[in-house]
Amino acid sequence: MHRASVLTTAGIVSAFVALAAGALAPTTASAATTATTMRAATSATLYGAGPYRSDTSEAAKQVTALAASDPSGAAAAKTIAQYPVATWLGDWTRGTTLTKTIDAAVAGADRTGTTAVFVTYAIPQRDCGGYSAGGFDEATYDAWVDQVVSRVAGHRAAVIVEPDSLAMLSNAACSASLDQQRYRILSREVAAFTAAGVPAYLDAGNSNWVTPAVMASRLNSAGVQQARGFFTNVANYYPTAQEQAYAEKVSAATGGSHYVIDTSRNGQGWRGTWCNGPGAGLGTSPRVVSDGTALDALLWVKTPGRATARAAGGRLPARGGRRSRRPWWRTRGSGRRCRRPLRLRRPLRPLRRRRPRRWLRSRTATPRRPGRSDA
């Protein structure tokens, strides 16, 4: 039943893909040919004038919200609001909320010739029951993905597919049967996005989590050959050069897959903990890359200023609710382990603004294995 749905989705959405919209040219060829076209495209073709920046981003909203109570925080938010940040879609965005969220972003991208970047984050048994537990069952997830695909088809868009979904399989809490389900679900998902002319990137963890050979094996099992490629460093702190060296090895082992790197938190490098590392800073601002390597873009995937899951006082609920449960700036930890609120320092190039005096107050935390997105 799932396979038939993939073919139906591919047939419908490919008809919407238009060169004028900045996507790949429409094709009636096989899925393999479509994937070959997607993987051969240049980053400039896929991203146009760059990632889309929303005037109503999380940071933009905080400029007003913090103006009276925290002027320095408002100033910091204003700096962040000048730059594009990915839009997260998960089990808190369903039905009309999902369609409105996507439609607003792609409409803005269409107006500006930019590319809306989305993150899907609702896979079954997300985080293998850990701190970011949640997600849909498989049938609900497949239908939800079909809805996402139908809204982005024919528009400039790129999708970061399920952070931690493959790197997390190293965790003992993830069973062998879960591994196979992940590969099945992710293969279906990226094939549908590719058929829609939308570049999709699978999870490759980060440079300090899974070895390149093991990561490449998981990516191949998850259908990376039917995708644009993979992403690294989401919600993490490792330097861009270190991530790129790791990613190039993974790329070589996956047939030259392209990749993107999250630089939203890595301006000061690894901070000793995955949980809102003290002294973290914004990295290089989002941009398209054409440097002769397989790197497509540097993106701000994780929302700068948003605290990691347990710092917000608990796990994401299984469904529903608003993302405001993940506090901005002034988080006070109440989780079992992740107790340190996020504090971002002065960004790296090309941001030149004065560093705000206080973003979030630091507290102690129990270090834990690096590599968690906890979006």
Side-chain angles (χ1 to χ4, degrees), residues 25-94:
T27 177
T28 57
S30 67
T33 301
T34 303
T36 299
T37 303
M38 173 64 71
R39 290 168 68 85
T42 66
S43 58
T45 298
L46 297 175
Y47 284 91
Y52 167 65
R53 183 190 68 81
S54 171
D55 290 331
T56 58
S57 66
E58 194 81 33
K61 295 175 183 176
Q62 294 303 316
V63 174
T64 301
L66 297 174
S69 62
D70 184 6
S72 62
K78 186 176 182 179
T79 298
I80 291 176
Q82 298 176 49
Y83 296 91
V85 177
T87 299
W88 287 67
L89 308 172
D91 40 4
W92 59 90
T93 48
R94 306 179 70 173

Side-chain angles (χ1 to χ4, degrees), residues 82-114:
Q82 298 176 49
Y83 296 91
V85 177
T87 299
W88 287 67
L89 308 172
D91 40 4
W92 59 90
T93 48
R94 306 179 70 173
T96 57
T97 299
L98 179 65
T99 58
K100 288 179 180 179
T101 300
I102 296 173
D103 290 354
V106 296
D110 289 346
R111 287 193 305 269
T112 57
T114 56

Side-chain angles (χ1 to χ4, degrees), residues 290-329:
S290 299
D291 64 355
T293 70
L295 176 61
D296 277 347
L298 303 177
L299 302 174
W300 285 1
V301 179
K302 178 69 175 179
T303 306
R306 185 172 288 285
T308 299
R310 289 297 278 187
R315 301 176 183 175
L316 289 172
R319 61 174 64 93
R322 294 174 57 85
R323 285 188 64 77
S324 58
R325 63 179 167 269
R326 211 52 77 67
W328 186 269
W329 319 127

